[in-house]
Amino acid sequence: MTTTVTAAVARTTGEPLTIEHLQLDGLRSNEVRVRMVATGICHTDAIVRDGIYPTPLPAVLGHEGAGVVEAIGEAITTVDVGDHVVLSAAYCGHCRQCRSGRMAYCENLFEEDFGGHRHDGTTALSVDGAPISSHFFGQSSFATHANVVETSVVKVDPGAPLATLAPLGCGLQTGAGAVLNDLRPEPGTSLVVFGTGAVGSAAIMAARVAGCTTVIAVDLHDSRLELAQQIGATHTVNAGTVDVVDELKKITNGDGVDYAIDTTAVPAVLRQAADSLGIRGTLALVGAAAPGTEVNFEIGASLVKGWTFKTIIQGSSVPQVFIPRLVELWKQGRFPFDKLIRTYSLADINTAFADSADGSTIKPVVVF
Protein backbone atom coordinates (compact mmCIF):
# COMPACT_ATOMS: atom_id res chain seq x y z
CA MET A 1 0.00 0.00 0.00
CA THR A 2 1.48 3.35 -1.04
CA THR A 3 1.24 6.67 0.80
CA THR A 4 1.56 10.19 -0.60
CA VAL A 5 4.29 12.21 1.12
CA THR A 6 5.73 15.68 0.69
CA ALA A 7 9.49 15.75 0.24
CA ALA A 8 12.43 17.92 -0.78
CA VAL A 9 14.01 16.33 -3.86
CA ALA A 10 17.56 16.81 -5.11
CA ARG A 11 17.04 16.44 -8.86
CA THR A 12 20.08 18.09 -10.43
CA THR A 13 23.65 18.28 -9.16
CA GLY A 14 24.35 21.58 -7.44
CA GLU A 15 20.80 22.91 -7.84
CA PRO A 16 18.25 23.85 -5.14
CA LEU A 17 15.93 21.14 -3.85
CA THR A 18 12.35 21.05 -5.12
CA ILE A 19 9.29 20.41 -2.94
CA GLU A 20 7.25 17.58 -4.47
CA HIS A 21 4.52 15.05 -3.71
CA LEU A 22 5.89 11.52 -3.95
CA GLN A 23 4.63 7.99 -3.44
CA LEU A 24 6.07 6.05 -0.49
CA ASP A 25 5.72 2.30 -0.95
CA GLY A 26 4.82 -0.38 1.59
CA LEU A 27 7.02 -1.38 4.52
CA ARG A 28 9.52 -4.19 4.18
CA SER A 29 9.99 -6.59 7.09
CA ASN A 30 13.13 -4.81 8.36
CA GLU A 31 11.73 -1.28 8.12
CA VAL A 32 9.96 1.19 10.37
CA ARG A 33 7.47 3.80 9.12
CA VAL A 34 8.33 7.11 10.77
CA ARG A 35 6.28 10.31 10.71
CA MET A 36 8.91 13.00 10.68
CA VAL A 37 8.68 15.79 13.22
CA ALA A 38 12.00 17.40 12.30
CA THR A 39 15.26 16.77 10.50
CA GLY A 40 18.62 18.46 10.73
CA ILE A 41 20.57 19.70 7.72
CA CYS A 42 24.16 18.51 7.61
CA HIS A 43 27.20 19.32 5.46
CA THR A 44 26.98 15.78 4.08
CA ASP A 45 23.57 16.58 2.57
CA ALA A 46 25.14 19.53 0.76
CA ILE A 47 28.12 17.63 -0.64
CA VAL A 48 25.85 14.85 -1.93
CA ARG A 49 23.56 17.42 -3.54
CA ASP A 50 26.66 18.90 -5.17
CA GLY A 51 27.93 15.57 -6.50
CA ILE A 52 30.99 15.19 -4.26
CA TYR A 53 29.71 11.93 -2.76
CA PRO A 54 28.06 9.29 -4.96
CA THR A 55 24.31 9.01 -4.20
CA PRO A 56 22.42 8.83 -7.54
CA LEU A 57 20.01 11.68 -8.27
CA PRO A 58 17.11 12.40 -8.18
CA ALA A 59 17.10 11.60 -4.49
CA VAL A 60 15.47 12.50 -1.20
CA LEU A 61 18.35 13.27 1.16
CA GLY A 62 18.23 14.01 4.88
CA HIS A 63 19.94 11.90 7.52
CA GLU A 64 19.22 13.57 10.87
CA GLY A 65 15.54 12.71 11.16
CA ALA A 66 13.44 12.59 14.31
CA GLY A 67 9.85 11.47 14.56
CA VAL A 68 7.23 9.04 15.77
CA VAL A 69 6.89 5.40 14.75
CA GLU A 70 3.60 4.79 12.90
CA ALA A 71 4.12 1.19 11.76
CA ILE A 72 6.74 -1.56 11.98
CA GLY A 73 7.76 -4.44 9.74
CA GLU A 74 7.25 -7.99 10.93
CA ALA A 75 10.96 -8.48 11.77
CA ILE A 76 11.29 -5.35 13.92
CA THR A 77 12.08 -5.98 17.59
CA THR A 78 13.69 -2.78 18.90
CA VAL A 79 10.83 -0.25 18.63
CA ASP A 80 7.05 -0.23 18.61
CA VAL A 81 4.28 1.98 17.27
CA GLY A 82 4.19 5.30 19.11
CA ASP A 83 7.86 5.31 20.09
CA HIS A 84 9.83 8.52 19.66
CA VAL A 85 12.95 7.97 17.59
CA VAL A 86 16.04 9.75 16.30
CA LEU A 87 17.43 8.48 12.99
CA SER A 88 21.13 7.96 12.39
CA ALA A 89 23.45 6.26 9.90
CA ALA A 90 22.65 2.77 8.64
CA TYR A 91 25.07 -0.12 8.93
CA CYS A 92 24.96 -3.69 7.69
CA GLY A 93 25.28 -5.37 11.08
CA HIS A 94 27.07 -8.46 9.77
CA CYS A 95 30.55 -7.38 8.57
CA ARG A 96 33.62 -7.79 10.79
CA GLN A 97 33.56 -4.14 11.88
CA CYS A 98 29.88 -4.19 12.81
CA ARG A 99 30.27 -7.50 14.65
CA SER A 100 33.13 -5.90 16.60
CA GLY A 101 30.94 -2.99 17.70
CA ARG A 102 32.52 -0.54 15.25
CA MET A 103 29.38 0.29 13.28
CA ALA A 104 30.71 3.68 12.18
CA TYR A 105 33.35 1.83 10.16
CA CYS A 106 30.95 -0.66 8.54
CA GLU A 107 32.67 -2.30 5.58
CA ASN A 108 29.50 -1.71 3.54
CA LEU A 109 29.10 1.94 4.57
CA PHE A 110 28.80 3.43 1.08
CA GLU A 111 26.23 0.91 -0.05
CA GLU A 112 24.19 1.20 3.16
CA ASP A 113 24.22 5.01 3.38
CA PHE A 114 24.80 6.35 -0.13
CA GLY A 115 23.48 3.59 -2.38
CA GLY A 116 20.04 5.15 -2.82
CA HIS A 117 18.09 1.89 -2.73
CA ARG A 118 17.31 -1.25 -0.76
CA HIS A 119 19.48 -4.35 -1.01
CA ASP A 120 17.10 -5.76 -3.64
CA GLY A 121 17.54 -2.66 -5.81
CA THR A 122 14.10 -1.15 -5.13
CA THR A 123 13.49 2.39 -3.92
CA ALA A 124 10.81 3.36 -1.42
CA LEU A 125 9.95 6.59 -3.27
CA SER A 126 8.61 7.33 -6.73
CA VAL A 127 6.67 9.91 -8.72
CA ASP A 128 4.37 8.90 -11.59
CA GLY A 129 6.06 5.52 -11.58
CA ALA A 130 9.59 6.93 -11.90
CA PRO A 131 11.90 5.92 -9.02
CA ILE A 132 13.47 8.48 -6.69
CA SER A 133 16.58 7.41 -4.77
CA SER A 134 15.67 6.66 -1.16
CA HIS A 135 17.12 5.15 2.01
CA PHE A 136 19.81 7.85 2.20
CA PHE A 137 21.60 6.86 5.42
CA GLY A 138 18.80 4.31 5.74
CA GLN A 139 16.15 7.04 6.05
CA SER A 140 15.82 9.90 3.49
CA SER A 141 14.33 12.17 6.13
CA PHE A 142 13.69 15.28 4.01
CA ALA A 143 10.12 14.00 3.78
CA THR A 144 6.99 13.96 5.90
CA HIS A 145 7.20 10.16 6.23
CA ALA A 146 9.93 7.60 5.58
CA ASN A 147 10.43 3.84 5.55
CA VAL A 148 13.57 3.52 7.67
CA VAL A 149 15.84 0.49 8.10
CA GLU A 150 15.99 -0.77 11.67
CA THR A 151 19.72 -0.10 12.08
CA SER A 152 19.05 3.63 11.60
CA VAL A 153 16.42 3.83 14.33
CA VAL A 154 17.29 4.99 17.86
CA LYS A 155 14.58 5.01 20.53
CA VAL A 156 14.71 8.13 22.72
CA ASP A 157 13.04 9.62 25.77
CA PRO A 158 9.49 10.66 24.77
CA GLY A 159 9.71 13.59 27.16
CA ALA A 160 12.46 15.28 25.14
CA PRO A 161 11.41 17.50 22.19
CA LEU A 162 12.07 15.78 18.87
CA ALA A 163 12.69 19.06 17.06
CA THR A 164 15.63 19.59 19.40
CA LEU A 165 16.97 16.03 19.26
CA ALA A 166 17.08 15.66 15.47
CA PRO A 167 20.68 16.93 14.95
CA LEU A 168 22.02 14.22 17.25
CA GLY A 169 21.72 11.75 14.39
CA CYS A 170 24.91 12.82 12.63
CA GLY A 171 26.73 16.13 13.14
CA LEU A 172 26.47 16.48 16.91
CA GLN A 173 27.09 12.77 17.42
CA THR A 174 30.19 13.09 15.24
CA GLY A 175 31.76 15.94 17.21
CA ALA A 176 30.84 14.67 20.65
CA GLY A 177 31.74 11.08 19.85
CA ALA A 178 35.15 12.04 18.46
CA VAL A 179 35.96 13.33 21.94
CA LEU A 180 34.09 10.97 24.25
CA ASN A 181 34.29 7.69 22.30
CA ASP A 182 37.57 7.95 20.43
CA LEU A 183 40.06 10.51 21.74
CA ARG A 184 38.96 10.13 25.37
CA PRO A 185 41.09 13.02 26.70
CA GLU A 186 42.26 12.82 30.27
CA PRO A 187 40.88 15.38 32.75
CA GLY A 188 43.07 18.46 32.91
CA THR A 189 44.33 18.20 29.32
CA SER A 190 44.08 20.67 26.44
CA LEU A 191 42.01 20.32 23.28
CA VAL A 192 41.61 22.65 20.30
CA VAL A 193 38.81 22.57 17.75
CA PHE A 194 39.34 24.03 14.28
CA GLY A 195 35.98 25.13 12.88
CA THR A 196 33.10 25.86 15.26
CA GLY A 197 30.11 24.78 13.21
CA ALA A 198 27.78 22.12 14.56
CA VAL A 199 30.40 19.35 14.66
CA GLY A 200 33.06 21.56 16.23
CA SER A 201 30.64 23.01 18.76
CA ALA A 202 29.65 19.49 19.83
CA ALA A 203 33.32 18.64 20.30
CA ILE A 204 33.79 21.73 22.49
CA MET A 205 30.87 20.77 24.73
CA ALA A 206 32.09 17.18 24.93
CA ALA A 207 35.60 18.32 25.88
CA ARG A 208 34.18 20.06 28.93
CA VAL A 209 32.16 16.94 29.78
CA ALA A 210 35.41 14.94 29.56
CA GLY A 211 37.16 17.30 31.97
CA CYS A 212 39.51 19.16 29.62
CA THR A 213 40.57 22.35 31.34
CA THR A 214 41.91 24.16 28.28
CA VAL A 215 39.38 24.09 25.43
CA ILE A 216 40.27 26.31 22.48
CA ALA A 217 37.97 27.27 19.61
CA VAL A 218 39.49 28.40 16.29
CA ASP A 219 37.33 30.02 13.62
CA LEU A 220 37.13 33.02 11.27
CA HIS A 221 33.79 34.32 12.59
CA ASP A 222 33.70 36.27 15.85
CA SER A 223 30.02 35.46 16.34
CA ARG A 224 30.79 31.75 16.33
CA LEU A 225 33.69 32.24 18.71
CA GLU A 226 31.45 34.14 21.10
CA LEU A 227 28.98 31.25 21.10
CA ALA A 228 31.85 28.79 21.58
CA GLN A 229 32.69 30.55 24.83
CA GLN A 230 29.07 30.26 25.96
CA ILE A 231 29.07 26.48 25.46
CA GLY A 232 32.44 25.65 26.98
CA ALA A 233 35.50 27.11 25.24
CA THR A 234 38.02 28.58 27.65
CA HIS A 235 39.92 30.39 24.87
CA THR A 236 39.12 31.54 21.32
CA VAL A 237 41.35 32.31 18.35
CA ASN A 238 40.29 34.18 15.22
CA ALA A 239 42.43 32.55 12.53
CA GLY A 240 42.10 35.60 10.30
CA THR A 241 43.82 37.97 12.71
CA VAL A 242 46.72 36.06 14.33
CA ASP A 243 49.25 33.31 13.66
CA VAL A 244 47.23 30.35 14.91
CA VAL A 245 50.13 28.05 15.78
CA ASP A 246 51.95 30.78 17.73
CA GLU A 247 48.75 31.71 19.56
CA LEU A 248 48.05 28.11 20.56
CA LYS A 249 51.55 27.71 21.92
CA LYS A 250 51.12 30.89 23.97
CA ILE A 251 47.85 29.58 25.40
CA THR A 252 49.51 26.28 26.35
CA ASN A 253 52.64 27.94 27.81
CA GLY A 254 54.77 26.68 24.95
CA ASP A 255 53.85 23.02 25.40
CA GLY A 256 51.48 22.69 22.44
CA VAL A 257 48.02 21.12 22.64
CA ASP A 258 47.32 17.57 23.72
CA TYR A 259 44.44 17.02 21.29
CA ALA A 260 43.36 18.78 18.10
CA ILE A 261 40.18 18.20 16.11
CA ASP A 262 39.77 19.53 12.57
CA THR A 263 36.24 19.84 11.21
CA THR A 264 37.18 21.79 8.08
CA ALA A 265 39.11 19.20 6.01
CA VAL A 266 41.07 22.15 4.56
CA PRO A 267 44.67 20.93 4.04
CA ALA A 268 46.25 24.20 5.24
CA VAL A 269 44.19 24.07 8.44
CA LEU A 270 45.14 20.44 9.04
CA ARG A 271 48.79 21.43 8.77
CA GLN A 272 48.26 24.18 11.36
CA ALA A 273 46.57 21.68 13.65
CA ALA A 274 49.48 19.25 13.35
CA ASP A 275 52.04 21.97 14.00
CA SER A 276 50.18 23.03 17.15
CA LEU A 277 50.48 19.62 18.82
CA GLY A 278 52.64 18.99 21.83
CA ILE A 279 54.65 15.85 22.50
CA ARG A 280 52.51 12.71 22.05
CA GLY A 281 49.64 14.88 20.85
CA THR A 282 46.82 13.56 18.69
CA LEU A 283 45.21 15.19 15.65
CA ALA A 284 41.80 13.91 14.53
CA LEU A 285 40.11 14.76 11.24
CA VAL A 286 36.32 14.61 11.32
CA GLY A 287 35.52 16.89 8.35
CA ALA A 288 34.53 15.54 4.93
CA ALA A 289 36.52 16.41 1.81
CA ALA A 290 36.36 15.44 -1.84
CA PRO A 291 38.02 12.09 -2.61
CA GLY A 292 41.64 12.66 -3.61
CA THR A 293 42.22 15.58 -1.23
CA GLU A 294 45.76 15.45 0.18
CA VAL A 295 47.66 17.20 2.96
CA ASN A 296 51.37 17.62 3.70
CA PHE A 297 52.82 17.15 7.18
CA GLU A 298 56.33 17.98 8.39
CA ILE A 299 58.00 14.72 9.45
CA GLY A 300 61.57 15.85 10.25
CA ALA A 301 61.51 17.94 13.40
CA SER A 302 58.09 16.61 14.36
CA LEU A 303 59.30 12.99 14.45
CA VAL A 304 60.46 13.35 18.04
CA LYS A 305 56.97 14.41 19.13
CA GLY A 306 55.62 10.91 18.62
CA TRP A 307 52.35 12.45 17.47
CA THR A 308 49.31 10.70 16.01
CA PHE A 309 47.02 11.52 13.08
CA LYS A 310 43.70 9.73 12.74
CA THR A 311 40.39 10.02 10.93
CA ILE A 312 37.10 9.59 12.79
CA ILE A 313 33.70 8.82 11.29
CA GLN A 314 30.34 9.32 13.03
CA GLY A 315 32.09 9.86 16.34
CA SER A 316 33.11 6.16 16.40
CA SER A 317 29.73 5.60 18.03
CA VAL A 318 27.06 2.96 18.22
CA PRO A 319 24.09 5.32 17.71
CA GLN A 320 21.63 3.23 19.73
CA VAL A 321 23.99 3.49 22.72
CA PHE A 322 25.54 6.94 22.34
CA ILE A 323 22.60 9.12 21.29
CA PRO A 324 20.51 8.34 24.42
CA ARG A 325 23.58 9.26 26.49
CA LEU A 326 23.79 12.62 24.75
CA VAL A 327 20.09 13.18 25.46
CA GLU A 328 20.74 12.59 29.17
CA LEU A 329 23.67 15.02 29.13
CA TRP A 330 21.43 17.62 27.46
CA LYS A 331 18.70 17.11 30.07
CA GLN A 332 21.29 17.79 32.78
CA GLY A 333 22.41 21.00 31.05
CA ARG A 334 25.89 19.60 30.35
CA PHE A 335 25.51 19.38 26.56
CA PRO A 336 23.54 22.52 25.59
CA PHE A 337 23.39 21.90 21.85
CA ASP A 338 19.96 23.53 21.60
CA LYS A 339 21.83 26.88 21.55
CA LEU A 340 23.09 26.00 18.06
CA ILE A 341 19.69 25.38 16.45
CA ARG A 342 17.59 27.57 14.18
CA THR A 343 14.37 26.10 12.76
CA TYR A 344 12.94 26.34 9.24
CA SER A 345 9.88 25.08 7.43
CA LEU A 346 10.20 22.48 4.67
CA ALA A 347 9.31 25.18 2.14
CA ASP A 348 12.37 27.15 3.29
CA ILE A 349 14.83 24.25 3.13
CA ASN A 350 17.01 25.92 0.48
CA THR A 351 17.30 29.01 2.66
CA ALA A 352 18.42 26.74 5.48
CA PHE A 353 21.14 25.27 3.26
CA ALA A 354 22.29 28.76 2.29
CA ASP A 355 22.34 29.98 5.88
CA SER A 356 24.42 26.97 6.88
CA ALA A 357 26.86 27.54 4.02
CA ASP A 358 27.46 31.22 4.85
CA GLY A 359 27.76 30.58 8.58
CA SER A 360 24.75 32.60 9.67
CA THR A 361 23.14 29.46 11.12
CA ILE A 362 25.21 26.84 12.91
CA LYS A 363 22.60 24.07 12.93
CA PRO A 364 19.53 24.40 10.70
CA VAL A 365 16.64 22.11 11.54
CA VAL A 366 13.59 21.64 9.32
CA VAL A 367 10.39 21.26 11.36
CA PHE A 368 7.42 19.60 9.68
Side-chain angles (χ1 to χ4, degrees):
M1 180 177 178
T2 61
T3 302
T4 300
V5 302
T6 303
V9 182
R11 286 202 164 270
T12 306
T13 300
E15 294 297 319
L17 309 186
T18 57
I19 307 301
E20 304 181 26
H21 296 299
L22 308 178
Q23 295 301 305
L24 178 66
D25 70 1
L27 276 179
R28 300 298 194 264
S29 63
N30 69 327
E31 293 176 351
V32 175
R33 175 73 55 82
V34 177
R35 174 180 61 81
M36 295 298 165
V37 171
T39 184
I41 292 175
C42 178
H43 180 60
T44 303
D45 295 308
I47 63 177
V48 170
R49 176 202 61 189
D50 296 341
I52 296 172
Y53 274 18
T55 294
L57 304 184
V60 173
L61 306 177
H63 62 288
E64 293 182 341
V68 180
V69 175
E70 288 196 338
I72 61 174
E74 60 186 18
I76 300 298
T77 61
T78 56
V79 293
D80 209 340
V81 173
D83 284 345
H84 286 208
V85 293
V86 166
L87 308 180
S88 190
Y91 50 87
C92 75
H94 57 73
C95 71
R96 182 172 61 178
Q97 297 300 323
C98 286
R99 291 293 177 89
S100 300
R102 297 187 288 263
M103 285 73 171
Y105 304 94
C106 173
E107 295 168 19
N108 301 299
L109 181 148
F110 276 98
E111 177 64 19
E112 295 291 328
D113 291 323
F114 297 93
H117 53 72
R118 298 184 175 100
H119 294 163
D120 63 5
T122 62
T123 65
L125 296 166
S126 63
V127 58
D128 298 329
I132 303 290
S133 290
S134 66
H135 288 87
F136 183 62
F137 278 64
Q139 54 186 279
S140 288
S141 56
F142 287 165
T144 53
H145 293 76
N147 292 341
V148 183
V149 299
E150 187 174 21
T151 57
S152 290
V153 178
V154 181
K155 185 177 177 180
V156 293
D157 181 355
L162 287 168
T164 300
L165 302 188
L168 294 176
C170 183
L172 300 182
Q173 176 179 215
T174 295
V179 175
L180 298 175
N181 296 329
D182 204 308
L183 295 179
R184 300 184 180 186
E186 301 86 351
T189 52
S190 59
L191 184 147
V192 59
V193 178
F194 290 81
T196 58
V199 175
S201 295
I204 289 167
M205 291 182 279
R208 294 308 296 267
V209 170
C212 292
T213 48
T214 302
V215 180
I216 311 161
V218 179
D219 206 293
L220 293 169
H221 301 281
D222 285 334
S223 60
R224 289 192 172 198
L225 294 173
E226 290 168 6
L227 180 57
Q229 285 188 303
Q230 295 177 32
I231 61 175
T234 60
H235 301 77
T236 62
V237 176
N238 188 315
T241 62
V242 297
D243 183 299
V244 174
V245 176
D246 285 348
E247 192 67 19
L248 292 176
K249 289 183 177 178
K250 289 177 184 176
I251 292 171
T252 57
N253 297 316
D255 293 333
V257 296
D258 298 310
Y259 300 92
I261 295 178
D262 177 57
T263 72
T264 71
V266 175
V269 176
L270 268 170
R271 175 59 190 270
Q272 287 181 325
D275 291 345
S276 72
L277 292 175
I279 294 173
R280 302 298 288 171
T282 300
L283 165 59
L285 169 65
V286 300
T293 302
E294 297 183 357
V295 61
N296 293 319
F297 293 127
E298 196 281 329
I299 59 170
S302 72
L303 176 66
V304 296
K305 284 185 179 180
W307 65 283
T308 299
F309 172 65
K310 66 192 309 182
T311 59
I312 300 175
I313 295 294
Q314 201 74 31
S316 295
S317 71
V318 179
Q320 288 77 10
V321 174
F322 190 55
I323 289 176
R325 290 176 178 173
L326 292 179
V327 174
E328 289 303 311
L329 286 169
W330 174 76
K331 288 166 60 178
Q332 292 182 12
R334 299 170 64 194
F335 190 65
F337 68 92
D338 52 299
K339 294 183 178 181
L340 313 176
I341 293 173
R342 180 181 176 187
T343 59
Y344 299 78
S345 68
L346 181 61
D348 291 328
I349 191 169
N350 291 306
T351 300
F353 269 96
D355 290 349
S356 178
D358 69 18
S360 57
T361 297
I362 292 182
K363 192 63 199 181
V365 173
V366 171
V367 177
F368 294 95

